[in-house]
Amino acid sequence: GDSVTQMEGPVTLSEEAFLTINCTYTATGYPSLFWYVQYPGEGLQLLLKATKADDKGSNKGFEATYRKETTSFHLEKGSVQVSDSAVYFCALSPYDYKLSFGAGTTVTVRA
Amino acid sequence: GAVVSQHPSWVICKSGTSVKIECRSLDFQATTMFWYRQFPKQSLMLMATSNEGSKATYEQGVEKDKFLINHASLTLSTLTVTSAHPEDSSFYICSAGFRELSYNEQFFGPGTRLTVL
């Protein structure tokens, strides 16, 4: 079945460091891919998405490119801030509305 | 943006009792709501999908009689954990979607931590 694997955390960075969170997927067909973020005490929020191969999703300085050849959707940000401390979830959605999530990666950014 | 609330945010109950968790869409009408379960350091697992006014659709392996889902209005869905046992302790998260967006753009509640003693 469809599944998502993302790098285990926790990840601790200093402010202005470069962040990469790896995400790979297994799916039949061509799913949509997502990154969700969960800030402390809040619900999951959609961070960015890509619906087809080679699409690049971007938001708040974060980027991820849908790579069909490597079945990957890695999340990157060039310069993180303390406010980026959160749990990040990679997810996919096949032809229907269901979402399959990765395990989540906890990111802590220190000043 | 769209806001989804859950109540309570945490609950502790005795084994054998039932617990109800509410999920509300505060500023939009949600035609579909989803219930997830999350174990520590693990993925969110979809438990069921509920459409307003109809029976919920449960994922394989989820006990329908243990996890009762009701979606009686466009702003409220409830999950009742019946005859709860310690193995039901978990973090339960709901999400809501509505017609104007793709269904896979869901808005999530903050979750409810259930501890069964």
Side-chain angles (χ1 to χ4, degrees):
Chain A
D2 298 338
S3 67
V4 174
T5 302
Q6 63 181 101
M7 64 182 285
E8 294 185 13
V11 175
T12 302
L13 302 165
S14 297
E15 242 181 344
E16 300 183 2
F18 184 85
L19 170 67
T20 297
I21 304 176
N22 290 339
C23 172
T24 57
Y25 67 91
T26 302
T28 54
Y30 305 99
S32 296
L33 301 175
F34 306 83
W35 277 100
Y36 281 85
V37 59
Q38 186 175 29
Y39 298 104
E42 299 182 17
L44 275 74
Q45 302 173 24
L46 178 64
L47 180 59
L48 53 85
K49 68 176 182 180
T51 58
K52 61 182 186 296
D54 298 326
D55 266 3
K56 177 185 283 187
S58 61
N59 185 25
K60 299 182 179 181
F62 290 89
E63 292 183 341
T65 302
Y66 189 141
R67 301 287 189 196
K68 179 171 171 290
E69 62 277 12
T70 55
T71 62
S72 65
F73 192 55
H74 305 322
L75 182 69
E76 297 182 337
K77 185 173 185 180
S79 178
V80 294
Q81 305 299 316
V82 172
S83 57
D84 294 324
S85 298
V87 182
Y88 293 83
F89 293 90
C90 185
L92 69 80
S93 179
Y95 61 90
D96 61 9
Y97 52 79
K98 296 179 183 180
L99 286 168
S100 295
F101 286 90
T105 302
T106 300
V107 174
T108 301
V109 181
R110 296 182 173 172
Chain B
V3 178
V4 175
S5 70
Q6 281 185 241
H7 178 79
S9 56
W10 60 270
V11 58
I12 301 173
C13 69
K14 293 182 178 180
S15 185
T17 60
S18 294
V19 174
K20 180 184 284 188
I21 302 170
E22 293 184 349
C23 177
R24 294 183 183 272
S25 56
L26 298 184
D27 51 3
F28 67 99
Q29 294 183 327
T31 51
T32 302
M33 286 186 171
F34 306 85
W35 286 95
Y36 295 84
R37 184 173 179 177
Q38 185 180 27
F39 293 99
K41 299 183 180 180
Q42 294 189 27
S43 302
L44 281 73
M45 293 177 55
L46 180 64
M47 299 174 64
T49 304
S50 72
N51 292 295
E52 184 264 338
S54 62
K55 291 184 179 180
T57 302
Y58 290 81
E59 295 299 300
Q60 191 174 5
V62 177
E63 298 177 60
K64 300 178 182 181
D65 295 332
K66 166 166 274 301
F67 299 101
L68 300 179
I69 292 172
N70 182 275
H71 192 168
S73 78
L74 288 171
T75 58
L76 174 64
S77 176
T78 60
L79 167 67
T80 301
V81 183
T82 62
S83 187
H85 288 92
E87 57 266 29
D88 298 325
S89 298
S90 191
F91 195 56
Y92 293 89
I93 301 172
C94 73
S95 71
F98 62 105
R99 292 187 192 281
E100 284 70 30
L101 294 180
S102 162
Y103 275 73
N104 55 26
E105 293 190 38
Q106 300 173 23
F107 299 95
F108 287 81
T112 297
R113 173 77 59 194
L114 170 63
T115 302
V116 184
L117 302 177

